[in-house]
Amino acid sequence: MNILKISEDRKSIKNNFDLFILIYIAVFSLIPILTRNVIPFDMVENLYWGKEWQLGYEKHPPLFAWISQVFFKLSFSVPESLYILTQLNLLTGLLFIFKISQLIYNDKTKSYAAVFIFMSSAAAILGNEKFNATTILFSLLPAVFYYFLKMVKFGRKKDAVLVGLLASLAFIGKYISLLFFGCMGLFLLINSNGRKLFKTPLPYIAIAIFLLGISWHIYWILCNDFVTVQYALEKSALAKKTPLFALKFLLMMGFFFITSFAAAYFTFRSNNTPTKGENLSKMLHNVNFICKKNNNYTMEELFIITITLVPSAILFLAALFTGMRIGSFWGASMMTTIGIYLVIINKKSPDITSLFKFTKWISCFFAVVLIVKLGVMRQILRDSHPSYAMDYRAISRQIENDYYRLFPNQKIKNLISDKDTTPLHVYLTDSPSFYNPKIHRTQGLFTEKGKNLSNRIATFIYKNSSDIENFRKFYNSDVIFENDIDIFGKWKLHYAFFKNE
């Protein structure tokens, strides 16, 4: 009878954990839907790139744009559906974090602890506001690590194939994933058990599948003058150099994951408080895990420790010694295995009840922060940033009413706009292609000076009427119809329909 009661209690606890994770995903999907008037510019970019279905784009590889477009269409072309995609991507990552921990320990308590510790981080909440080239790694990197560990542990060819396939997807998600793959290869070379794997066909199968999986994108890069590589270099290596970027990266990493360490404190604290000497000894023991053989850790545990710490350390040192620029949010996806790492270095059983309470508390705190950031700040900034005050749906309907009155049964095929009115391409019913020669070069759609543009409209925000004349000179086209819409304060939106070439 007692055994049955214990089994029922464990099942009830598991159900509570699963329910909380689903509520967590639902809440952080709803907050931006309810507090923002438009999806972030990153996700607007996703959709105007994704509808072109190219093999690459001038800023990034194409995977996140393709996924965004597919999900957008499956969600009846509702732009806010991308917030749900963002959280589903995180949920996939949490699943693989759980599975990695299960693979190492086969202990659900430790697996849930690993998940909740990561969920307690600012990276999982504030660093995961939108689906883009950075956040796509929340799901893809844990998936690669999981099948890599399965390949090493069980020696199966199907796991090697999945490693190569998922690694290729991560690469066409964001190039920085190569840093993690390099660390994975380095781990196999350094670890004595890992070196044995090179005597089998498994790593070569994974590499072959990876190279085959990215070959078409490499071909696209070669055909397009390394445009994505140039963009990456301009944003990092060729940008103004200063060691302060390394400090900024370190501070951002602290911001993103300090609450994970706080969660671990509540999880693994015990009544027997160690002395200062014991604390120092334990710290040195953990720091030196790479430098000398440590029989206290399995190969799987050593891999997680390595892949959690080494990529971030390499990026920090590279920025420190070269002065290269590191994006503020790059750090968000650098340590997705932080929860598993903190479970590994603490040998005690986790106090899952305390951790669960802390995760719920910190999630509520970050939810309030997010509401203030997205809701209150929008009201404060709308005078200087008109995009915060615009009702894109209402504006789209007004533009469409005028357009269809003049051009019945003709779709709007192209939108020429400034950055503030770019989201209209998402909210217009015809979902026109977007183009702005001052911001982006959308390959394959336009010839010089836009001479092949047809069924096109143009939109931009202005304060001074003189801007309209500059607009006409810039586009140098016959305008059939134009009008203004009052936005907020002195801001107006000007829209025009052009005569087809």
mmCIF file of all heavy atoms in Angstrom, residues 93-117:
data_model
loop_
_atom_site.group_PDB
_atom_site.id
_atom_site.type_symbol
_atom_site.label_atom_id
_atom_site.label_comp_id
_atom_site.label_asym_id
_atom_site.label_seq_id
_atom_site.Cartn_x
_atom_site.Cartn_y
_atom_site.Cartn_z
ATOM 1 N N GLY A 93 13.828 22.771 -26.664
ATOM 2 C CA GLY A 93 15.115 22.769 -25.985
ATOM 3 C C GLY A 93 15.022 22.177 -24.591
ATOM 4 O O GLY A 93 15.894 21.394 -24.175
ATOM 5 N N LEU A 94 13.968 22.524 -23.839
ATOM 6 C CA LEU A 94 13.781 21.980 -22.489
ATOM 7 C C LEU A 94 13.621 20.464 -22.527
ATOM 8 O O LEU A 94 14.124 19.747 -21.655
ATOM 9 C CB LEU A 94 12.557 22.618 -21.824
ATOM 10 C CG LEU A 94 12.615 24.133 -21.573
ATOM 11 C CD1 LEU A 94 11.304 24.612 -20.952
ATOM 12 C CD2 LEU A 94 13.789 24.493 -20.682
ATOM 13 N N LEU A 95 12.928 19.968 -23.553
ATOM 14 C CA LEU A 95 12.754 18.520 -23.701
ATOM 15 C C LEU A 95 14.102 17.829 -23.864
ATOM 16 O O LEU A 95 14.367 16.797 -23.226
ATOM 17 C CB LEU A 95 11.855 18.235 -24.905
ATOM 18 C CG LEU A 95 11.695 16.749 -25.290
ATOM 19 C CD1 LEU A 95 11.010 15.976 -24.163
ATOM 20 C CD2 LEU A 95 10.897 16.610 -26.583
ATOM 21 N N PHE A 96 14.980 18.395 -24.682
ATOM 22 C CA PHE A 96 16.285 17.770 -24.896
ATOM 23 C C PHE A 96 17.206 17.942 -23.681
ATOM 24 O O PHE A 96 18.037 17.066 -23.411
ATOM 25 C CB PHE A 96 16.946 18.323 -26.163
ATOM 26 C CG PHE A 96 16.439 17.667 -27.418
ATOM 27 C CD1 PHE A 96 15.570 18.342 -28.260
ATOM 28 C CD2 PHE A 96 16.808 16.371 -27.730
ATOM 29 C CE1 PHE A 96 15.087 17.730 -29.413
ATOM 30 C CE2 PHE A 96 16.338 15.751 -28.886
ATOM 31 C CZ PHE A 96 15.478 16.435 -29.732
ATOM 32 N N ILE A 97 17.060 19.039 -22.936
ATOM 33 C CA ILE A 97 17.800 19.173 -21.682
ATOM 34 C C ILE A 97 17.390 18.058 -20.722
ATOM 35 O O ILE A 97 18.239 17.442 -20.057
ATOM 36 C CB ILE A 97 17.543 20.563 -21.059
ATOM 37 C CG1 ILE A 97 18.216 21.645 -21.908
ATOM 38 C CG2 ILE A 97 18.047 20.633 -19.624
ATOM 39 C CD1 ILE A 97 17.805 23.063 -21.541
ATOM 40 N N PHE A 98 16.099 17.796 -20.643
ATOM 41 C CA PHE A 98 15.588 16.702 -19.802
ATOM 42 C C PHE A 98 16.134 15.352 -20.272
ATOM 43 O O PHE A 98 16.580 14.528 -19.461
ATOM 44 C CB PHE A 98 14.056 16.706 -19.858
ATOM 45 C CG PHE A 98 13.409 15.691 -18.958
ATOM 46 C CD1 PHE A 98 13.086 16.023 -17.650
ATOM 47 C CD2 PHE A 98 13.102 14.410 -19.418
ATOM 48 C CE1 PHE A 98 12.477 15.087 -16.810
ATOM 49 C CE2 PHE A 98 12.510 13.475 -18.592
ATOM 50 C CZ PHE A 98 12.195 13.821 -17.280
ATOM 51 N N LYS A 99 16.125 15.141 -21.588
ATOM 52 C CA LYS A 99 16.565 13.855 -22.135
ATOM 53 C C LYS A 99 18.075 13.646 -21.929
ATOM 54 O O LYS A 99 18.519 12.522 -21.688
ATOM 55 C CB LYS A 99 16.214 13.782 -23.634
ATOM 56 C CG LYS A 99 14.728 13.616 -23.894
ATOM 57 C CD LYS A 99 14.376 13.837 -25.354
ATOM 58 C CE LYS A 99 14.787 12.675 -26.222
ATOM 59 N NZ LYS A 99 14.001 11.466 -25.975
ATOM 60 N N ILE A 100 18.864 14.718 -22.022
ATOM 61 C CA ILE A 100 20.298 14.593 -21.774
ATOM 62 C C ILE A 100 20.545 14.173 -20.332
ATOM 63 O O ILE A 100 21.350 13.281 -20.053
ATOM 64 C CB ILE A 100 21.014 15.931 -22.074
ATOM 65 C CG1 ILE A 100 21.013 16.227 -23.571
ATOM 66 C CG2 ILE A 100 22.464 15.889 -21.558
ATOM 67 C CD1 ILE A 100 21.494 17.630 -23.924
ATOM 68 N N SER A 101 19.847 14.824 -19.411
ATOM 69 C CA SER A 101 20.003 14.482 -18.000
ATOM 70 C C SER A 101 19.552 13.052 -17.721
ATOM 71 O O SER A 101 20.186 12.323 -16.947
ATOM 72 C CB SER A 101 19.212 15.473 -17.137
ATOM 73 O OG SER A 101 19.488 15.285 -15.778
ATOM 74 N N GLN A 102 18.474 12.624 -18.367
ATOM 75 C CA GLN A 102 18.012 11.240 -18.225
ATOM 76 C C GLN A 102 19.050 10.265 -18.759
ATOM 77 O O GLN A 102 19.272 9.179 -18.200
ATOM 78 C CB GLN A 102 16.688 11.043 -18.971
ATOM 79 C CG GLN A 102 15.472 11.541 -18.223
ATOM 80 C CD GLN A 102 15.129 10.672 -17.034
ATOM 81 O OE1 GLN A 102 15.581 10.899 -15.919
ATOM 82 N NE2 GLN A 102 14.323 9.654 -17.263
ATOM 83 N N LEU A 103 19.688 10.635 -19.856
ATOM 84 C CA LEU A 103 20.713 9.784 -20.456
ATOM 85 C C LEU A 103 21.897 9.598 -19.503
ATOM 86 O O LEU A 103 22.489 8.519 -19.423
ATOM 87 C CB LEU A 103 21.193 10.412 -21.769
ATOM 88 C CG LEU A 103 22.137 9.592 -22.645
ATOM 89 C CD1 LEU A 103 21.438 8.353 -23.194
ATOM 90 C CD2 LEU A 103 22.671 10.444 -23.787
ATOM 91 N N ILE A 104 22.224 10.643 -18.753
ATOM 92 C CA ILE A 104 23.364 10.586 -17.838
ATOM 93 C C ILE A 104 22.999 9.886 -16.529
ATOM 94 O O ILE A 104 23.749 9.042 -16.028
ATOM 95 C CB ILE A 104 23.885 12.008 -17.544
ATOM 96 C CG1 ILE A 104 24.415 12.654 -18.826
ATOM 97 C CG2 ILE A 104 24.987 11.983 -16.482
ATOM 98 C CD1 ILE A 104 24.795 14.109 -18.677
ATOM 99 N N TYR A 105 21.826 10.213 -15.978
ATOM 100 C CA TYR A 105 21.488 9.737 -14.633
ATOM 101 C C TYR A 105 20.323 8.757 -14.564
ATOM 102 O O TYR A 105 20.200 8.013 -13.587
ATOM 103 C CB TYR A 105 21.156 10.930 -13.737
ATOM 104 C CG TYR A 105 22.335 11.818 -13.459
ATOM 105 C CD1 TYR A 105 22.348 13.143 -13.894
ATOM 106 C CD2 TYR A 105 23.439 11.331 -12.763
ATOM 107 C CE1 TYR A 105 23.433 13.965 -13.635
ATOM 108 C CE2 TYR A 105 24.532 12.145 -12.505
ATOM 109 C CZ TYR A 105 24.526 13.459 -12.943
ATOM 110 O OH TYR A 105 25.598 14.260 -12.690
ATOM 111 N N ASN A 106 19.426 8.810 -15.551
ATOM 112 C CA ASN A 106 18.178 8.046 -15.480
ATOM 113 C C ASN A 106 17.453 8.331 -14.163
ATOM 114 O O ASN A 106 16.974 7.440 -13.473
ATOM 115 C CB ASN A 106 18.444 6.541 -15.623
ATOM 116 C CG ASN A 106 17.158 5.764 -15.891
ATOM 117 O OD1 ASN A 106 16.189 6.300 -16.434
ATOM 118 N ND2 ASN A 106 17.138 4.491 -15.498
ATOM 119 N N ASP A 107 17.423 9.616 -13.825
ATOM 120 C CA ASP A 107 16.834 10.070 -12.563
ATOM 121 C C ASP A 107 15.968 11.287 -12.882
ATOM 122 O O ASP A 107 16.475 12.366 -13.203
ATOM 123 C CB ASP A 107 17.949 10.440 -11.581
ATOM 124 C CG ASP A 107 17.411 10.871 -10.219
ATOM 125 O OD1 ASP A 107 16.269 11.360 -10.146
ATOM 126 O OD2 ASP A 107 18.155 10.733 -9.221
ATOM 127 N N LYS A 108 14.648 11.123 -12.782
ATOM 128 C CA LYS A 108 13.742 12.202 -13.178
ATOM 129 C C LYS A 108 13.851 13.421 -12.275
ATOM 130 O O LYS A 108 13.632 14.552 -12.723
ATOM 131 C CB LYS A 108 12.304 11.691 -13.219
ATOM 132 C CG LYS A 108 12.027 10.768 -14.400
ATOM 133 C CD LYS A 108 10.559 10.450 -14.542
ATOM 134 C CE LYS A 108 10.324 9.599 -15.805
ATOM 135 N NZ LYS A 108 8.897 9.268 -15.991
ATOM 136 N N THR A 109 14.186 13.209 -11.006
ATOM 137 C CA THR A 109 14.345 14.346 -10.098
ATOM 138 C C THR A 109 15.477 15.249 -10.570
ATOM 139 O O THR A 109 15.338 16.474 -10.643
ATOM 140 C CB THR A 109 14.637 13.861 -8.664
ATOM 141 O OG1 THR A 109 13.547 13.051 -8.212
ATOM 142 C CG2 THR A 109 14.811 15.036 -7.720
ATOM 143 N N LYS A 110 16.611 14.654 -10.910
ATOM 144 C CA LYS A 110 17.746 15.436 -11.410
ATOM 145 C C LYS A 110 17.437 16.043 -12.776
ATOM 146 O O LYS A 110 17.883 17.156 -13.086
ATOM 147 C CB LYS A 110 18.991 14.563 -11.493
ATOM 148 C CG LYS A 110 19.552 14.170 -10.129
ATOM 149 C CD LYS A 110 20.859 13.411 -10.248
ATOM 150 C CE LYS A 110 21.457 13.125 -8.871
ATOM 151 N NZ LYS A 110 22.740 12.416 -8.939
ATOM 152 N N SER A 111 16.672 15.320 -13.591
ATOM 153 C CA SER A 111 16.328 15.829 -14.919
ATOM 154 C C SER A 111 15.431 17.058 -14.820
ATOM 155 O O SER A 111 15.640 18.054 -15.524
ATOM 156 C CB SER A 111 15.649 14.733 -15.741
ATOM 157 O OG SER A 111 16.505 13.635 -15.920
ATOM 158 N N TYR A 112 14.423 17.011 -13.945
ATOM 159 C CA TYR A 112 13.567 18.183 -13.739
ATOM 160 C C TYR A 112 14.365 19.334 -13.125
ATOM 161 O O TYR A 112 14.140 20.510 -13.456
ATOM 162 C CB TYR A 112 12.374 17.837 -12.845
ATOM 163 C CG TYR A 112 11.229 17.212 -13.602
ATOM 164 C CD1 TYR A 112 10.875 15.881 -13.420
ATOM 165 C CD2 TYR A 112 10.475 17.972 -14.508
ATOM 166 C CE1 TYR A 112 9.819 15.307 -14.112
ATOM 167 C CE2 TYR A 112 9.417 17.413 -15.204
ATOM 168 C CZ TYR A 112 9.090 16.080 -15.005
ATOM 169 O OH TYR A 112 8.043 15.528 -15.707
ATOM 170 N N ALA A 113 15.313 18.992 -12.232
ATOM 171 C CA ALA A 113 16.163 20.035 -11.640
ATOM 172 C C ALA A 113 16.953 20.756 -12.727
ATOM 173 O O ALA A 113 17.047 21.993 -12.736
ATOM 174 C CB ALA A 113 17.106 19.416 -10.606
ATOM 175 N N ALA A 114 17.516 20.004 -13.670
ATOM 176 C CA ALA A 114 18.284 20.603 -14.768
ATOM 177 C C ALA A 114 17.403 21.531 -15.600
ATOM 178 O O ALA A 114 17.835 22.627 -16.003
ATOM 179 C CB ALA A 114 18.876 19.508 -15.647
ATOM 180 N N VAL A 115 16.168 21.113 -15.849
ATOM 181 C CA VAL A 115 15.233 21.924 -16.638
ATOM 182 C C VAL A 115 14.853 23.197 -15.895
ATOM 183 O O VAL A 115 14.894 24.306 -16.450
ATOM 184 C CB VAL A 115 13.973 21.098 -16.986
ATOM 185 C CG1 VAL A 115 12.884 22.000 -17.573
ATOM 186 C CG2 VAL A 115 14.312 19.990 -17.979
ATOM 187 N N PHE A 116 14.498 23.064 -14.601
ATOM 188 C CA PHE A 116 14.042 24.232 -13.840
ATOM 189 C C PHE A 116 15.164 25.242 -13.619
ATOM 190 O O PHE A 116 14.915 26.452 -13.584
ATOM 191 C CB PHE A 116 13.454 23.791 -12.491
ATOM 192 C CG PHE A 116 12.120 23.117 -12.607
ATOM 193 C CD1 PHE A 116 11.756 22.112 -11.727
ATOM 194 C CD2 PHE A 116 11.225 23.483 -13.600
ATOM 195 C CE1 PHE A 116 10.526 21.489 -11.830
ATOM 196 C CE2 PHE A 116 9.993 22.865 -13.717
ATOM 197 C CZ PHE A 116 9.636 21.858 -12.826
ATOM 198 N N ILE A 117 16.390 24.758 -13.442
ATOM 199 C CA ILE A 117 17.511 25.690 -13.260
ATOM 200 C C ILE A 117 17.685 26.553 -14.500
ATOM 201 O O ILE A 117 17.903 27.771 -14.408
ATOM 202 C CB ILE A 117 18.809 24.918 -12.925
ATOM 203 C CG1 ILE A 117 18.727 24.351 -11.508
ATOM 204 C CG2 ILE A 117 20.028 25.825 -13.051
ATOM 205 C CD1 ILE A 117 19.862 23.413 -11.146
#
